[in-house]
Amino acid sequence: MTPDTGLRPMKYRTYLTTVIIAVVMSFFGTSCGKKDKQLGDAITNRDSASVMTTIGVDMYISEEGIIRYHVIAEEWKYFDKLKPQLYSMEKGILLEILDSLMQVESILEADTAYYNIDEELWRLRHNVHAENIQKEEFDTHELYVDNRLDKMYSDSLIRIEQDKQLIVGHGFESNGNLTKYTIRTTEGVFPITETE
């Protein structure tokens, strides 16, 4: 009887080494044949992706060192590659316009809002509702707020509810706090009567 040295025959070790090398090479061969995909391959146009998305926004915006706006939005996106650069609030917005003493001059609400940074222009769309300091209510489909010219305007149908009458018309222009306004084409003025 020969003693067990724990060594296997040379032929078996060579065969085992060859098999291991072949398996390892097959893994390298398949992985080298494929190109690594970048994580951002799904985004082909960088303009379509926001550089910043903020959830649950409640902030104040100043102009020339004076706080002018209080903004509440569920979601706020910033598109830095668009021309012009744009803020987008597509899940609703409440915008309070403030005077120099931070008192609310007017309130604007809409389902969707965009802010053109270069032109300092707000565009509010869908179910736009506004109120001024005299408690007059304005309802329209689309409203623009021009910060540079300190005015608001719309080309859509507008409904203005005052204390004792309702005015309906097309086209609207106002100063920045909705206290002085004109309707381009008035379609009707209806008295408001108190009902139970």
Side-chain angles (χ1 to χ4, degrees), residues 27-186:
F27 283 125
F28 282 124
T30 56
S31 65
C32 291
K34 295 180 182 176
K35 290 185 178 178
D36 290 339
K37 289 191 175 184
Q38 299 295 321
L39 293 176
D41 279 351
I43 301 171
T44 56
N45 184 356
R46 174 62 175 81
D47 293 353
S48 66
S50 63
V51 70
M52 175 200 77
T53 299
T54 307
I55 307 298
V57 174
D58 186 346
M59 65 184 245
Y60 291 88
I61 300 173
S62 65
E63 285 180 351
E64 298 176 3
I66 299 171
I67 295 174
R68 290 287 294 139
Y69 302 100
H70 177 210
V71 180
I72 299 172
E74 185 179 331
E75 181 180 80
W76 177 295
K77 292 184 177 182
Y78 172 44
F79 294 88
D80 65 328
K81 297 296 181 186
L82 288 178
K83 297 296 178 205
Q85 293 183 11
L86 190 71
Y87 292 128
S88 168
M89 291 130 281
E90 296 181 349
K91 294 186 177 180
I93 185 172
L94 171 65
L95 177 66
E96 293 178 335
I97 299 176
L98 309 173
D99 64 14
S100 59
L101 300 173
M102 289 188 60
Q103 302 298 314
V104 176
E105 288 184 339
S106 53
I107 297 171
L108 304 167
E109 294 178 89
D111 291 346
T112 306
Y114 302 98
Y115 182 70
N116 179 325
I117 296 169
D118 297 339
E119 296 178 11
E120 298 180 27
L121 182 68
W122 289 91
R123 180 184 180 201
L124 289 84
R125 301 195 68 224
H126 307 297
N127 298 315
V128 180
H129 177 78
E131 293 180 26
N132 64 13
I133 200 163
Q134 285 101 7
K135 303 296 180 193
E136 295 175 308
E137 297 184 19
F138 304 78
D139 293 291
T140 186
H141 177 71
E142 185 171 56
L143 181 69
Y144 291 88
V145 180
D146 190 324
N147 291 352
R148 287 183 182 171
L149 300 176
D150 192 32
K151 74 174 189 175
M152 298 184 197
Y153 59 90
S154 175
D155 293 324
S156 301
L157 181 72
I158 185 122
R159 179 185 180 277
I160 302 172
E161 187 174 325
Q162 298 173 333
D163 185 33
K164 298 188 177 183
Q165 66 182 5
L166 175 67
I167 304 169
V168 178
H170 267 93
F172 166 82
E173 190 169 316
S174 168
N175 61 350
N177 58 13
L178 290 170
T179 54
K180 297 177 184 174
Y181 53 85
T182 57
I183 300 172
R184 291 188 204 116
T185 307
T186 304

Side-chain angles (χ1 to χ4, degrees), residues 4-18:
D4 187 11
T5 59
L7 297 174
R8 301 213 168 133
M10 184 72 164
K11 197 180 221 182
Y12 180 73
R13 279 188 282 173
T14 305
Y15 174 74
L16 186 59
T17 304
T18 305

